[in-house]
Amino acid sequence: MNFNKKEMDLLAVQIRKNILRAIASKGAGHVGGSLSIADTLAVLYGCVMNIDPKHPDKKDRDYIVISKGHSGPAMYAALAAKGYFGEDVLDTLNKNNTILPSHTDRMKTPGVDMTTGSLGQGTSLASGAALADRLNGSSNYTYLIVGDGELDEGQVWEAALFTAHHHLTNLITFVDANGKQLDGTTDQVCCLGSIEQKFEAFGFHAITVEDGHNTLQIYNAIMEAQQEKEKPSVIVLHTIKGAGIKKYMEMDNCHSTTVKMEELSGFYAELDHQGEMA
Amino acid sequence: MNEVKTGEKELRKVFGDTLKTLMQENKDVVYLEADLAGAIGTSGLIKEYPEQAFDVGIMEANMVGTAAGMSVKGKIPFVHSFGTFASRRCADQTFLSGCYNKANIKIVGSDPGITAETNGGTHMPFEDMGIYRSFPEMTILDVAEPHLLAEILKEMAVSYGVMYVRFPRKGKECYYEETQKFTIGKGVIVKEGTDASIIASGIETAEALRAAEELERDNIHVRVVDMFTVKPLDEALVIKCAEETGAIITAENHNKIGGLGSAVSEVLAENIAVPFKRVGIPDCFGEVGDKKFLAEKFGISQKDIAAAVKEVLKKKK
């Protein structure tokens, strides 16, 4: 599908609304990291991935692995927007017997390809999926999303070594570099330095997206990554935790926080305004 | 009674040969190794099958996660490391990327318990089965007989789910005929007897057979069960042994806590109270030494099993 910025921006607005709706239905949840990855999910689900919402299990689909599994609400928001299930299902997030658990679970939710929730593990799962695809002669992609705080986990770097060694160019990694983790900024907790340089040192082709909320920049980065045939690519998205909603962007810690039902209409208006300006 | 003999092939050779056959028969069978191909004897296999066998390097956590990812795409991965690292080092990956993710991984942990010998306490898994026994839906196999290992590996390849098999690389004691069939989850009575039953697994099955032979000389007739599947446990056979022989002794090359003895005691406690004793590692760390020395030091030798039988029989009404 061709890239249309207006369409992608409006899809990002819809995803953010869905995130907030889902979390408001429970009263609280992982707001910050869900909002920061919304634009990337809009581009992936909107015009990049080979998927079919009517046939979530179709064989030649692209996979998406959200290794920062607590951003499940963002994935559910995108899946609902694409019609994998009704938007009313979003109101069951984290409720008894829901198909939308806090962390992504491939056995529970149509459209979820891999189960995650213990940080770092999605990286190896994605590597395995990409290696199996290559062995099977499949041409599809695996898209992996990790958080910057998640880069603290040693397994991320084990998987990075492995991915580079095996030239898994069919695996495209995104780092949602919003600069914050649960206990503070990434600089305060355990300074990461240059994420791009670290991945380059591990044998990756690193692409910086200066504005991780600009859908055109995100799309262009994915196209560049797909052209790279020697090294696996990492796209470092410089994002803002809680992006799209002023209240959360200004909050010191919006990793897991409240969304009140009575706040929703104001948040929706804020997002609609952004959609109109897009 | 099944007689214990010394076979021709070490278990690692059985492992490599069987894996090769499985890979030849099914392109989806793959093998991931964490830099111990030289130790387990699979270096040739990795060279010969570059599209199916991979040395991933010293990264057990990534190996298990990668295997899980491959299995979601239809591959049937066998992964190997020493038992310590194939359990402790990647427990969370086995739990989440493996079991919880409903993946299909065959985890091979070599040199369980005292069979790590001169690698010592750091490499001596007395706790691997205990860790994995609490993981939902996981299958745990404790094997030390060549024909049994070959047959179990074949069955693992066609059974979906996360499975852990432990065996000593260098073991070559055999006590099965080539015609013997096995089913995961079903124990095998390898010697009949009426006075008590020794339920054993891994290297302790041969040790139990020798103990049983020794006891025959004292006119004590014990049944010996090879309970190579520690989970799911053959509960029906445990209860049958308790009913028919009235006393149970377990023997395992593992901490007394969390392994075969614990599993059997749970079944007995809930179903049928009979005199019972566990032979196993007495909740301590391993150390360097040869197998015979370590078996005696940690109380899991033939003599310890025979003594345990006699002690239990005193409590039998």
Side-chain angles (χ1 to χ4, degrees):
Chain A
M1 195 189 296
N2 291 330
F3 177 80
N4 178 311
K5 186 162 190 307
K6 182 78 183 173
E7 278 180 23
M8 293 307 107
D9 289 349
L10 289 175
L11 180 55
V13 164
Q14 187 58 47
I15 289 171
R16 285 198 167 88
K17 283 184 181 176
N18 286 355
I19 291 168
L20 293 163
R21 170 184 175 162
I23 296 177
S25 74
K26 185 68 181 168
H30 290 109
V31 174
S34 294
L35 289 174
S36 64
I37 200 63
D39 306 284
T40 298
L41 292 179
V43 176
L44 285 172
Y45 281 97
C47 69
V48 171
M49 287 200 296
N50 170 16
I51 47 168
D52 181 354
K54 296 282 173 270
H55 301 95
D57 296 329
K58 80 164 186 151
K59 275 216 152 191
D60 65 342
R61 72 188 184 278
D62 291 333
Y63 266 41
I64 180 166
V65 181
I66 297 203
S67 191
K68 47 176 226 147
H70 55 274
S71 294
M75 193 173 198
Y76 309 146
L79 292 171
K82 291 296 289 182
Y84 280 78
F85 42 79
E87 291 189 344
D88 56 322
V89 178
L90 293 167
D91 300 332
T92 70
L93 178 75
N94 284 338
K95 292 183 178 157
N96 298 342
N97 291 318
T98 185
I99 63 162
L100 306 181
S102 186
H103 299 78
T104 50
D105 185 332
R106 77 181 182 99
M107 303 309 291
K108 291 197 163 68
T109 316
V112 171
D113 294 319
M114 210 64 89
T115 299
T116 58
S118 179
L119 290 176
Q121 293 199 24
T123 59
S124 304
L125 288 165
S127 299
L131 177 59
D133 276 341
R134 198 174 69 191
L135 297 175
N136 289 337
S138 308
S139 59
N140 50 295
Y141 281 93
T142 297
Y143 296 98
L144 165 67
I145 295 171
V146 296
D148 51 358
E150 186 179 8
L151 300 181
D152 293 351
E153 290 283 3
Q155 190 177 350
V156 171
W157 303 104
E158 291 187 7
L161 271 181
F162 181 86
T163 300
H165 178 81
H166 290 279
H167 304 282
L168 297 177
T169 54
N170 56 344
L171 168 59
I172 295 176
T173 302
F174 298 88
V175 178
D176 182 9
N178 58 38
K180 289 182 180 175
Q181 54 198 103
L182 200 149
D183 280 343
T185 68
T186 50
D187 281 347
Q188 287 167 339
V189 176
C190 190
C191 186
L192 291 163
S194 165
I195 295 169
E196 287 87 342
Q197 284 177 15
K198 281 191 168 55
F199 273 95
E200 281 169 350
F202 276 73
F204 277 62
H205 172 62
I207 303 166
T208 302
V209 172
E210 297 290 352
D211 179 359
H213 304 299
N214 181 311
T215 53
L216 177 60
Q217 287 184 27
I218 296 166
Y219 178 78
N220 286 339
I222 297 169
M223 293 303 105
E224 181 183 332
Q226 289 186 350
Q227 292 305 310
E228 170 62 46
K229 300 297 180 196
E230 291 298 318
K231 296 175 176 177
S233 293
V234 62
I235 297 170
V236 182
L237 304 157
H238 292 273
T239 57
I240 299 166
K241 203 154 182 170
I245 303 295
K246 193 162 177 282
K247 172 184 170 178
Y248 298 117
M249 291 163 77
E250 290 175 349
M251 201 180 266
D252 274 345
N253 182 354
C254 66
H255 180 80
S256 179
T257 190
T258 57
V259 181
K260 295 180 186 134
M261 290 301 280
E262 57 268 29
E263 291 177 301
L264 276 184
S265 58
F267 290 157
Y268 286 177
E270 194 176 341
L271 291 166
D272 282 335
H273 178 68
Q274 292 165 27
E276 287 159 17
M277 300 296 285
Chain B
M1 169 178 160
N2 293 35
E3 193 184 341
V4 182
K5 299 174 194 165
T6 301
E8 290 172 7
K9 269 192 195 179
E10 285 186 338
L11 289 165
R12 59 180 160 187
K13 177 87 169 104
V14 174
F15 171 65
D17 289 351
T18 310
L19 199 54
K20 183 175 178 170
T21 305
L22 290 170
M23 282 166 42
Q24 285 171 339
E25 289 172 352
N26 184 353
K27 289 275 180 234
D28 283 333
V29 173
V30 295
Y31 166 50
L32 305 183
E33 172 59 58
D35 199 43
L36 287 171
I40 195 81
T42 52
S43 302
L45 201 64
I46 290 169
K47 283 198 187 82
E48 199 178 342
Y49 295 90
E51 296 293 302
Q52 282 173 276
F54 305 89
D55 199 330
V56 306
I58 312 165
M59 42 171 87
E60 297 79 10
N62 179 57
M63 175 169 71
V64 168
T66 300
M70 294 180 86
S71 81
V72 170
K73 292 268 183 175
K75 297 295 182 188
I76 304 165
F78 283 75
V79 305
H80 167 255
S81 184
F82 287 150
T84 40
F85 314 124
S87 55
R88 296 200 306 257
R89 186 86 189 195
C90 53
D92 191 37
Q93 287 73 23
T94 302
F95 180 92
L96 203 151
S97 295
C99 300
Y100 189 85
N101 192 29
K102 304 285 183 195
N104 185 27
I105 325 172
K106 316 304 164 187
I107 302 172
V108 179
S110 61
D111 289 4
I114 61 167
T115 66
E117 294 192 300
T118 52
N119 272 330
T122 58
H123 286 53
M124 203 159 272
F126 292 160
E127 67 293 322
D128 51 341
M129 296 199 290
I131 292 168
Y132 280 158
R133 207 161 69 83
S134 59
F135 287 17
E137 301 170 12
M138 191 160 167
T139 297
I140 299 168
L141 301 148
D142 189 18
V143 173
E145 206 276 349
H147 177 55
L148 173 62
L149 177 62
E151 294 301 306
I152 285 302
L153 290 168
K154 289 176 203 166
E155 193 169 340
M156 286 169 80
V158 294
S159 311
Y160 196 93
V162 181
M163 300 181 168
Y164 175 71
V165 61
R166 67 198 303 258
F167 65 84
R169 283 179 294 150
K170 295 173 186 171
K172 49 161 69 171
E173 284 187 325
C174 50
Y175 45 83
Y176 284 118
E177 299 293 329
E178 288 295 307
T179 51
Q180 177 79 42
K181 301 284 181 206
F182 305 98
T183 304
I184 289 173
K186 295 284 174 202
V188 176
I189 296 172
V190 288
K191 179 190 173 299
E192 266 305 354
T194 50
D195 295 332
S197 298
I198 306 170
I199 297 177
S201 65
I203 59 167
E204 292 300 277
T205 306
E207 213 71 12
L209 279 166
R210 282 189 284 265
E213 201 178 344
E214 179 188 325
L215 290 164
E216 287 290 336
R217 291 195 283 274
D218 294 332
N219 209 26
I220 298 169
H221 313 293
V222 292
R223 175 183 289 178
V224 178
V225 173
D226 188 354
M227 195 64 90
F228 59 84
T229 314
V230 173
K231 188 186 173 189
L233 189 71
D234 188 348
E235 297 189 7
L237 182 56
V238 172
I239 293 166
K240 178 178 148 83
C241 289
E243 285 171 349
E244 292 178 356
T245 69
I248 302 281
I249 300 91
T250 55
E252 63 190 309
N253 171 28
H254 183 275
N255 194 329
K256 278 183 188 176
I257 299 170
L260 178 68
S262 292
V264 170
S265 69
E266 289 159 14
V267 174
L268 294 176
E270 286 184 346
N271 292 280
I272 176 168
V274 293
F276 171 73
K277 189 166 178 64
R278 292 167 297 157
V279 173
I281 309 294
D283 195 26
C284 61
F285 296 106
E287 63 184 58
V288 293
D290 62 45
K291 191 178 143 193
K292 184 170 180 298
F293 165 81
L294 293 169
E296 287 169 3
K297 169 136 193 173
F298 292 120
I300 61 168
S301 70
Q302 168 191 337
K303 279 182 192 163
D304 296 303
I305 297 171
V309 170
K310 286 179 179 173
E311 193 183 326
V312 167
L313 286 178
K314 283 182 199 160
K315 295 181 193 163
K316 193 177 165 187
K317 286 168 193 166

